[in-house]
Amino acid sequence: MRKKLFLTCLTLIIWSANFAQKKEITLKEIWNGTFSIDRMNALNPMNGDYYTLLNYDKNSKNFSVDKYSYKTLEKVATIVNSSDLKEINSISSYSFNLDETKLILGTNFEKIYRRSFKGTFYVYDLTSKVVTLIGKNIQEPTFSPDNKKVAFAKNNNLYIKNLTNNTILQITNDGNKNEIINGISDWVYEEEFAIVKAFEWSKNSNYLAFLKFNETKVPTFSMDLVGTQNYPTQQVFKYPKAGETNAKVTLHVYDFTSQKTSKILLGDYEYIPRIKWTNNTDVLVATTLNRHQNNLKLHAVNTANKSVRTLLNETDEAYIKINNHLTFLTDNSFIWTSEKDGYNHLYHYDFNGNLIHQITKGKWEVTDYYGYEEKTATIYYQSVENGSINRDVYAIKIDGRNKRKITSKIGTNKASFSKNLQYFINNYSSATTPYIYSLHNKNGKLLKTIKDNSSLKEALNDYIISPKEFSTIKINGNELNMWMLKPSNFDANKKYPVLMFQYSGPGSQQVANTWNNSNDYWHNMLSQKGMIIVCIDGRGTGFKGRDFKKSTYLNLVKYETEDQIAAAKKIAKLPFVDAKNIGIWGWSFGGHMSTNALLKGSDIFTTAIAVAPVTSWRFYDTVYTERFLRTPQENPGGYDDNSPINYAEKLKGNYLLVHGTGDDNVHVQNSYRMINALIDANKQFDMFIVPDRTHSIYRGKNMRLNLYTKMTNFVEKHLINKSQSLTK
């Protein structure tokens, strides 16, 4: 008995000594790159079994585009090196023409919005080694399929450079800032439909289809930017807020034979979020949506005779979200994804719009489509079939038979397939495993591990790390996904303050079996200071079916807030939770949520941090907001009943409001109006207004370190220290 007791004590002593040697994560380490992931550069699949990477040599300070074999992962050639180019000192981007005999090289990029930028671009001929300037301060240069031309945009107009004689043809002349845009999307299309390039070559290079945005009647938004000069500058751009006038978008086709541009009439619509050429060289498919975004049409446009017919018409009681999965096969039948059976699945249609087969079925969602291998009639896709917090890659015949999972590890698997679909590089991670990049054949057989981040995992062994505990919690009749992070020295007999984190936006997900981001490290740091972190995906979040996601329709933030409040009250009943010290925080949509939760849930939440929050959906853009709420004119209650500026007097707890004044997405107007409402209600609060920063509040030396230090101090003061003083 004594021997057993002695061994137990010895084990505890050894465990305590090992534990004492471990160190806590610091804010400085989170933001100085200590926990950086060793990632693979974005690879571009080539014809055959090859891919290319853009590499940078720190010693020579040269950039190179290098060619690799999928079979061996070894470099087989250097396509181009900046040291051999007199005209180009650095390479920021590259793209091949179809037969991979030429490259477009980009440099001197200047960011515009989230996805858009302009720069200087050149054509590099792989055979002659000749470099030819396309243009400076241009956007989205794109080879024609016949390799003879490059289309690009500059100053809101479209141009064609003829690579045979180096002449440039301007095909639009009416482009003007804040009035007319040709071939490049406006702000709201870029942000909400995720497109910048709004032009497409036909397969025979005879036509260039493009969208024209007439912004003349769109209200103008302006932001003063402090900068470094004596006087601020002003950023002025067209931004359609909910209920306001959108840009009038029209479809046009330039014919190289006649050298004329034709306007294509598509009937009644509000948006043209996608255009795509079929394998018929004269037929283009344009996707349109009505303003409510619940009536989608695919229009088959015959550019030879300008006739238009409806290929597919899909409707929904709520809304239809746009994706990039439309794929035309050799016979012009096409693959399409839809939620029409209640879950997002793959469908196969003929070119008359008749359903051939629903390819995937079940109470789970297809989350990505990778491609179709015609020779074997096989589709490759990603789904949450193995649980909504996980992702796996599958292969299935186009007739829905012979489905097989080709990834094996539980967690998040993302595939990057070769162009011929014979290989894929799997990007795998889980909540306990940093990113592993591995090469597989199309059947999933592991051929080689490329990067495994073992050095990061080994380094993390020196730190005190608490694992996420995944579970579900029943709230308002739904089983909600949840994770909880407890201090490593957790004692069930003690009581701990709680900080809840969420985003909660429609179709989003925060409870996922994937590797840490910066917030996860911050949460772990806070946890080791003596608190519990909780994350719950409530109603409206994604990957659990159409009805769960769209249950918040017309009442954005109402049910999401109710779920977070109810969850906090349920968590407060746990014996190890300090029910008097529960906080919540979030960014953007999550900042709106944390503000609402503190005001409407003042009987449970004592503290909230809101970073770059929407405070009224009346201030946000048309496409996103009206998708979920319709217009303010149609649904004023949906906008105002859950806007915190309308019940600022309910504030009882501790509130920190953070916003960047250069936020072109969620304008600082949101926080300014919230500040005024709180002042009118004579409420005290904390705020951190950051000059010129955009929605990410990232740019500048020590910006994130400074921000997270402020948030840490706020959490320590109002949750951790208060809770500890109460338990002493």
Side-chain angles (χ1 to χ4, degrees):
M1 184 69 179
R2 285 184 178 180
K3 185 177 181 181
K4 184 178 180 181
L5 180 61
F6 171 77
L7 290 173
T8 302
C9 292
L10 181 62
T11 301
L12 286 171
I13 290 169
I14 294 172
W15 180 87
S16 299
N18 289 335
F19 183 80
Q21 291 173 358
K22 289 181 179 287
K23 50 189 177 180
E24 292 184 4
I25 292 170
T26 66
L27 279 168
K28 189 173 182 180
E29 288 171 317
I30 294 173
W31 298 109
N32 69 5
T34 297
F35 307 117
S36 293
I37 294 289
D38 185 13
R39 299 181 185 275
M40 275 195 74
N41 293 341
L43 59 85
N44 288 320
M46 297 184 70
N47 298 329
D49 295 332
Y50 300 97
Y51 64 91
T52 54
L53 293 173
L54 177 59
N55 294 320
Y56 175 68
D57 188 313
K58 293 180 181 178
N59 296 321
S60 66
K61 297 184 179 179
N62 291 325
F63 294 82
S64 62
V65 177
D66 297 312
K67 181 178 180 179
Y68 296 82
S69 165
Y70 271 108
K71 292 180 180 179
T72 65
L73 296 178
E74 298 295 328
K75 187 170 83 169
V76 297
T78 292
I79 305 295
V80 63
N81 191 298
S82 60
S83 64
D84 300 324
L85 306 173
K86 296 179 181 179
E87 301 86 350
I88 307 173
N89 293 322
S90 65
I91 302 173
S92 300
S93 73
Y94 70 97
S95 59
F96 283 95
N97 61 353
L98 278 182
D99 65 5
E100 297 174 354
T101 59
K102 295 181 176 68
L103 278 175
I104 292 176
L105 302 175
T107 187
N108 300 327
F109 285 180
E110 181 183 337
K111 187 174 181 180
I112 304 174
Y113 297 119
R114 187 193 294 263
R115 298 176 176 87
S116 57
F117 57 89
K118 56 186 176 180
T120 300
F121 292 88
Y122 301 82
V123 170
Y124 175 74
D125 189 298
L126 274 66
T127 302
S128 68
K129 312 298 183 186
V130 172
V131 176
T132 305
L133 177 69
I134 302 171
K136 297 180 179 180
N137 296 315
I138 68 173
Q139 292 180 262
E140 302 295 329
T142 306
F143 282 115
S144 61
D146 66 5
N147 309 315
K148 296 178 181 180
K149 300 180 281 290
V150 173
F152 64 92
K154 183 175 182 177
N155 297 331
N156 290 11
N157 280 310
L158 275 174
Y159 298 80
I160 305 294
K161 184 175 182 70
N162 189 316
L163 299 179
T164 304
N165 56 23
N166 281 330
T167 59
I168 293 180
L169 171 68
Q170 184 173 346
I171 65 172
T172 67
N173 296 281
D174 55 350
N176 198 26
K177 185 177 180 180
N178 288 332
E179 292 181 3
I180 303 292
I181 313 172
N182 292 288
I184 298 294
S185 66
D186 67 353
W187 186 94
V188 75
Y189 269 57
E190 176 179 335
E191 179 66 27
E192 306 302 354
F193 291 135
I195 65 167
V196 175
K197 183 168 71 77
F199 63 85
E200 296 290 339
W201 287 100
S202 64
K203 297 294 175 68
N204 60 4
S205 305
N206 289 342
Y207 302 101
L208 187 74
F210 65 93
L211 300 181
K212 183 188 294 287
F213 293 77
N214 186 333
E215 297 186 297
T216 307
K217 295 183 180 180
V218 179
T220 300
F221 192 84
S222 64
M223 301 185 300
D224 283 334
L225 302 177
V226 176
T228 58
Q229 306 301 317
N230 289 347
Y231 290 90
T233 58
Q234 196 172 52
Q235 184 176 349
V236 180
F237 59 105
K238 297 290 187 156
Y239 185 108
K241 292 180 182 285
E244 300 290 346
T245 303
N246 280 308
K248 179 66 177 176
V249 184
T250 49
L251 174 63
H252 302 258
V253 176
Y254 180 79
D255 185 331
F256 282 89
T257 302
S258 66
Q259 295 189 340
K260 292 182 179 179
T261 299
S262 301
K263 181 179 178 180
I264 306 298
L265 301 178
L266 298 175
D268 293 329
Y269 63 89
E270 184 74 16
Y271 304 110
I272 311 177
R274 297 287 186 272
I275 55 174
K276 186 165 187 167
W277 289 93
T278 69
N279 289 314
N280 181 325
T281 55
D282 290 329
V283 179
L284 171 79
V285 168
T287 303
T288 63
L289 280 172
N290 61 336
R291 183 141 187 174
H292 288 163
Q293 297 175 67
N294 60 5
N295 189 341
L296 178 147
K297 292 181 180 179
L298 298 183
H299 303 270
V301 179
N302 188 311
T303 53
N305 59 26
K306 309 304 182 292
S307 64
V308 179
R309 66 182 176 89
T310 301
L311 181 60
L312 183 72
N313 187 188
E314 187 167 318
T315 60
D316 192 286
E317 292 180 2
Y319 57 87
I320 299 170
K321 198 169 185 299
I322 295 297
N323 58 55
N324 294 316
H325 299 155
L326 175 62
T327 304
F328 291 99
L329 310 186
T330 302
D331 61 358
N332 263 338
S333 65
F334 61 94
I335 294 167
W336 178 251
T337 56
S338 172
E339 295 179 321
K340 65 181 183 179
D341 79 341
Y343 295 85
N344 194 52
H345 282 297
L346 292 162
Y347 293 81
H348 184 201
Y349 289 87
D350 67 23
F351 199 57
N352 292 315
N354 299 311
L355 178 64
I356 298 174
H357 196 77
Q358 180 174 345
I359 302 166
T360 59
K361 296 179 182 179
K363 294 184 176 181
W364 45 270
E365 307 241 308
V366 170
T367 46
D368 206 352
Y369 164 79
Y370 295 122
Y372 173 66
E373 185 184 15
E374 189 163 4
K375 183 179 179 180
T376 61
T378 301
I379 287 173
Y380 298 93
Y381 68 94
Q382 181 201 58
S383 79
V384 294
E385 190 168 354
N386 193 28
S388 59
I389 68 171
N390 299 309
R391 302 285 186 279
D392 286 291
V393 180
Y394 289 82
I396 192 171
K397 297 295 183 181
I398 197 169
D399 62 4
R401 298 179 181 179
N402 195 26
K403 181 176 66 176
R404 61 196 188 280
K405 185 158 68 76
I406 59 174
T407 50
S408 58
K409 296 180 179 179
I410 296 176
T412 299
N413 295 274
K414 299 178 182 179
S416 177
F417 274 85
S418 60
K419 191 177 286 188
N420 59 15
L421 299 174
Q422 298 305 296
Y423 301 93
F424 69 93
I425 291 176
N426 189 37
N427 176 356
Y428 165 78
S429 77
S430 72
T432 57
T433 306
Y435 293 99
I436 297 174
Y437 297 88
S438 53
L439 175 68
H440 303 254
N441 66 18
K442 66 179 183 180
N443 296 315
K445 181 182 178 182
L446 175 65
L447 302 179
K448 188 175 182 180
T449 298
I450 307 168
K451 293 178 182 284
D452 62 7
N453 278 287
S454 57
S455 58
L456 173 61
K457 195 163 186 178
E458 184 177 342
L460 286 171
N461 288 331
D462 295 334
Y463 290 85
I464 303 171
I465 301 288
S466 295
K468 287 179 179 177
E469 299 176 7
F470 289 93
S471 63
T472 60
I473 182 171
K474 189 164 187 177
I475 300 293
N476 294 321
N478 296 284
E479 288 289 339
L480 306 181
N481 291 338
M482 165 182 169
W483 58 251
M484 180 180 287
L485 202 64
K486 297 173 183 173
S488 55
N489 59 351
F490 174 75
D491 183 346
N493 295 314
K494 293 183 178 180
K495 289 188 178 290
Y496 297 88
V498 171
L499 180 65
M500 294 177 65
F501 166 68
Q502 44 64 58
Y503 177 75
S504 302
S508 66
Q509 185 178 56
Q510 294 299 320
V511 183
N513 190 8
T514 189
W515 184 244
N516 298 339
N517 58 33
S518 298
N519 282 334
D520 288 313
Y521 287 110
W522 185 57
H523 292 150
N524 227 303
M525 187 197 80
L526 291 176
S527 179
Q528 305 319 323
K529 290 179 180 291
M531 72 183 314
I532 292 172
I533 314 294
V534 173
C535 182
I536 294 168
D537 281 339
R539 281 175 287 181
T541 55
F543 315 113
K544 299 181 77 172
R546 177 204 176 278
D547 293 345
F548 184 82
K549 180 175 69 175
K550 298 180 180 179
S551 62
T552 61
Y553 185 61
L554 300 181
N555 286 291
L556 207 58
V557 185
K558 172 180 167 59
Y559 300 119
E560 300 95 316
T561 302
E562 290 177 2
D563 283 351
Q564 297 297 320
I565 292 172
K569 290 179 177 179
K570 193 164 189 176
I571 289 167
K573 294 178 181 178
L574 295 173
F576 49 82
V577 167
D578 178 359
K580 295 182 179 179
N581 283 287
I582 298 179
I584 186 169
W585 91 280
W587 200 303
S588 193
F589 195 108
H592 189 357
M593 283 287 299
S594 60
T595 302
N596 276 25
L598 181 64
L599 301 186
K600 290 195 170 186
S602 59
D603 57 335
I604 187 65
F605 289 110
T606 65
T607 301
I609 299 174
V611 185
V614 175
T615 60
S616 171
W617 290 110
R618 290 179 180 271
F619 304 151
Y620 202 56
D621 73 63
T622 49
V623 175
Y624 182 90
T625 311
E626 294 173 11
R627 181 185 298 153
F628 311 117
L629 286 175
R630 299 200 173 185
T631 67
Q633 296 87 341
E634 296 171 285
N635 181 25
Y639 282 80
D640 299 332
D641 292 349
N642 295 288
S643 169
I645 61 176
N646 294 327
Y647 45 87
E649 73 281 353
K650 291 181 177 288
L651 178 64
K652 293 181 181 179
N654 314 294
Y655 182 53
L656 173 59
L657 181 58
V658 180
H659 219 124
T661 64
D663 192 337
D664 63 274
N665 184 356
V666 179
H667 305 143
V668 72
Q669 172 190 24
N670 284 270
S671 285
Y672 286 165
R673 290 287 288 270
M674 189 69 209
I675 289 167
N676 277 336
L678 290 167
I679 291 170
D680 289 344
N682 195 26
K683 296 294 182 179
Q684 293 297 303
F685 59 97
D686 291 84
M687 64 179 180
F688 185 30
I689 303 299
V690 193
D692 296 353
R693 275 28 175 232
T694 59
H695 194 55
S696 63
I697 315 183
Y698 204 97
R699 180 175 51 82
K701 184 180 179 181
N702 290 328
M703 181 65 253
R704 279 292 179 93
L705 174 60
N706 189 277
L707 170 59
Y708 275 77
T709 299
K710 187 169 190 67
M711 295 199 299
T712 300
N713 293 340
F714 192 78
V715 170
E716 285 188 303
K717 177 181 178 181
H718 295 296
L719 287 173
I720 298 174
N721 294 346
K722 251 181 198 177
S723 179
Q724 290 174 350
S725 66
L726 287 174
T727 56
K728 285 181 181 177

